[in-house]
Amino acid sequence: MQTTILTYSTPDELSNSASNKFIEAAQRAISERGRFLVSLSGGSTPMKLFERLAKETLDWSLVHFFWCDERCVPMDDPGNTYGQTKKILFDNIGITNIHRVESELEPALAAQAYAHTLSGFAEAPLDFPRFDLVLLGMGDDGHTASLFPGSPVEIETSTIAVTAQYQDRPANRVSLTPKVFNQAREIWFLVTGAGKAETLRNVIKGEKNLELLPAQRIQPKDGNLVWMIDEAAGKLLN
Ligand code: 6PG
């Protein structure tokens, strides 16, 4: 596992670079395997990246979009990650290979259905896809995807998709687990803002505490881990 930290002066600079790197990663996967399997996250940080990708040139018919997690609200709800990404990206690139979480279902059913969707892209010996790229964010409490502090660590070793509920967050969630994430070829964390600096230092440089810092559960087995951060988020790393 190779870990890289790339620091940018602003979120805009970070998003520009992430967009270029996304296209490069997609072209590499398409030339090596004929398609690009990418898993997206929600939250505010990746939205700038999605805006830039909407202007990029790529054979999008060879790209398959999945989700690291989703909020169990209707697609037209502003809290629905698929719905937000559709407005900013999909509607602008005319993509069809979208494998969303059926957020309108009861959470446990949605998690089950999503595990089944993933099994359709299984890469033996796995019963799920080996993503070419996983895009993650990190909350100021150290959560990633919808793996929240205090959530059971061991579950992650056996299950593909879990449900999650957490403190003040309005909606139930469906989240993929480190079992899936850690098989990816590339995992990128996009983290910006001074409010995350202390947690980022603890996650990257601190004691291992997988229960309270779920972002530490992301340890690719045979892939690259890249932290794309802005100076504000990285100010305590040196
Ligand atoms: C979600 C995400 C979540 C997000 C972090 C960071 O759906 O909310 O999967 O894990 O990445 O909460 O969110 P921000 O980018 O808004 O800080």
Side-chain angles (χ1 to χ4, degrees), residues 138-153 156 164-169 173 199 203 209-217:
M138 185 196 79
D140 54 14
D141 58 1
H143 82 262
T144 190
S146 285
L147 304 170
F148 296 112
S151 61
V153 174
E156 273 87 357
Q165 248 275 340
Y166 190 62
Q167 296 182 344
D168 55 353
R169 284 174 175 73
R173 307 288 191 95
T199 302
V203 166
N209 187 334
L210 301 189
E211 189 183 350
L212 294 185
L213 294 172
Q216 285 184 337
R217 301 175 197 176

Side-chain angles (χ1 to χ4, degrees), residues 69-87:
D69 69 325
E70 180 62 280
R71 297 91 177 264
C72 296
V73 292
M75 286 184 280
D76 57 3
D77 183 298
N80 185 271
T81 301
Y82 161 77
Q84 295 307 304
T85 314
K86 181 176 183 303
K87 283 196 206 116

